[in-house]
Amino acid sequence: MIHSLILLACLTLGWGLAIVAMRLAPRLRRPGDRRALHQLALFAPLLALGLAGGWSAQMALTGCPMFTQADAGGTVALLAVFGTLLLVAAVRETLHVVATRRKLEAIATGASRALRELPLVELASQVGVRAPRVRLLETHRPMACVAGVFRPTLYLSRGMIQALSRRELEGLIAHELAHLRHQDNLLAWLDVIVFRAFGFLAPLRAAWAESLAEREEFADSVAARATRRPRALASALLKVATLPRLAEGTLVGAAGFASHGELLERRIERLLAAPGGGLRPWGPPAVGALAIALTLPFLTAAALGYYTSCMTHLPGAAATHGDDGGH
């Protein structure tokens, strides 16, 4: 029973950490700092589940009598449920990514004058990444994205290239390269998995929505600094927002540059305002969030020392101590 209460305390800790991170994030100025706290909120339940699993393993391996059969059964059932949810979400999202990549490749070509004229190498150098492979999508729909983690590819549709001016297109490309610089594809994949497993928690639903928004604003900030033309990027955002949207369910995730409504207004306002920070918009709050995520398991492991003391209460332990004293 005691261990069951500890298990609930771990989950409550994750819930509370998510709420605190969500309350602090809006007060921060830098997009990278806000994004770091939203990521911490999103992964807080997963951290808590890891702590609960560590507690369970420690209690079981030491043979602690406080770890009853009911505790063992409840813990295994809880971890099995969330483990299954995470596994199913991982497989589902991986299949979705592979399917989207195949759909993109089905209408992509690498030989095009429009692609050769793009200043990809120069923009990649300004953003701070290696120039990825670029592919032209033979469609008039406005589409732009970077796909892949180990072998990233920049996809641009013919419709997007024709719709934007030279400077607007450079801003868009810099935006997509900023996603590549910060491994947003890998992070988005992890975010979806965690959200699908723990999305029933209210703080995570808010963290998920804000994480999507901050990812775009973060890329806007880096792209504006790299090109030194935030107004061109803002103009590209407005122009793309007025173009016909993708059909429902068509290549979902391949038009992330476009946004609408309140998010679009917020992105444009921040681009037109005096930008703060540089190409590394990570400050002490982001470092602090990372430190919390890294040190929390170790601090909890240290706290387990109290529970390992129950070894002294194992049957025969007192008799052993008594024999030693007799000698």
Side-chain angles (χ1 to χ4, degrees):
M1 181 61 69
I2 293 179
H3 180 72
S4 299
L5 295 177
I6 294 173
L7 196 62
L8 292 175
C10 281
L11 296 176
T12 303
L13 174 65
W15 180 290
L17 186 60
I19 292 176
V20 171
M22 289 300 296
R23 291 288 182 87
L24 290 177
R27 303 180 182 182
L28 303 179
R29 180 182 178 185
R30 295 172 181 265
D33 290 336
R34 293 193 299 271
R35 179 187 179 191
L37 286 184
H38 290 142
Q39 291 298 140
L40 178 61
L42 196 58
F43 282 89
L46 191 60
L47 281 173
L49 197 63
L51 298 181
W55 244 315
S56 303
Q58 181 80 359
M59 301 284 264
L61 291 175
T62 58
C64 180
M66 290 191 296
F67 191 70
T68 65
Q69 198 69 27
D71 286 328
T75 301
V76 170
L78 182 66
L79 295 178
V81 167
F82 283 112
T84 301
L85 289 175
L86 288 168
L87 179 61
V88 171
V91 172
R92 179 180 175 181
E93 185 60 20
T94 300
L95 292 176
H96 171 73
V97 170
V98 172
T100 300
R101 187 73 178 265
R102 288 177 176 174
K103 290 179 180 179
L104 289 171
E105 285 294 328
I107 58 173
T109 177
S112 169
R113 178 182 177 183
L115 295 182
R116 290 193 295 268
E117 293 178 350
L118 295 177
L120 185 63
V121 176
E122 294 82 353
L123 288 171
S125 177
Q126 291 171 356
V127 173
V129 297
R130 292 180 58 184
R133 186 178 61 154
V134 60
R135 302 273 279 167
L136 179 68
L137 301 176
E138 292 294 347
T139 175
H140 291 291
R141 296 185 181 277
M143 298 169 58
C145 68
V146 173
V149 176
F150 302 105
R151 193 185 176 190
T153 301
L154 172 64
Y155 292 96
L156 289 173
S157 69
R158 188 176 295 279
M160 185 72 88
I161 294 176
Q162 293 173 347
L164 302 182
S165 68
R166 174 80 174 193
R167 289 191 172 185
E168 291 170 342
L169 189 60
E170 289 178 0
L172 179 149
I173 294 174
H175 172 98
E176 295 300 332
L177 292 176
H179 283 308
L180 178 62
R181 172 179 172 174
H182 295 287
Q183 296 293 332
D184 280 345
N185 289 345
L186 176 60
L187 193 59
W189 180 75
L190 294 174
D191 285 352
V192 171
I193 293 173
V194 174
F195 178 71
R196 291 190 187 280
F198 300 99
F200 59 90
L201 299 175
L204 262 69
R205 291 197 294 270
W208 164 255
E210 287 298 327
S211 178
L212 293 176
E214 290 293 347
R215 188 178 300 143
E216 297 304 318
E217 292 186 57
F218 194 19
D220 287 344
S221 175
V222 175
R225 281 288 176 175
T227 61
R228 295 184 177 86
R229 288 192 291 268
R231 292 182 179 274
L233 181 56
S235 175
L237 280 170
L238 273 176
K239 190 173 290 186
V240 171
T242 62
L243 295 174
R245 299 192 191 186
L246 289 175
E248 184 71 22
T250 304
L251 296 179
V252 176
F257 178 77
S259 58
H260 299 268
E262 184 179 346
L263 176 56
L264 175 63
E265 294 178 6
R266 195 168 78 181
R267 291 174 65 184
I268 292 176
E269 287 176 359
R270 290 183 175 175
L271 281 170
L272 297 181
L279 287 180
R280 298 180 182 274
W282 298 87
V287 177
L290 180 61
I292 291 174
L294 293 177
T295 59
L296 189 59
F298 295 102
L299 293 176
T300 306
L304 288 176
Y306 168 77
Y307 296 98
T308 58
S309 65
C310 70
M311 284 292 293
T312 60
H313 302 296
L314 287 172
T320 303
H321 287 297
D323 292 341
D324 291 341
H327 289 292

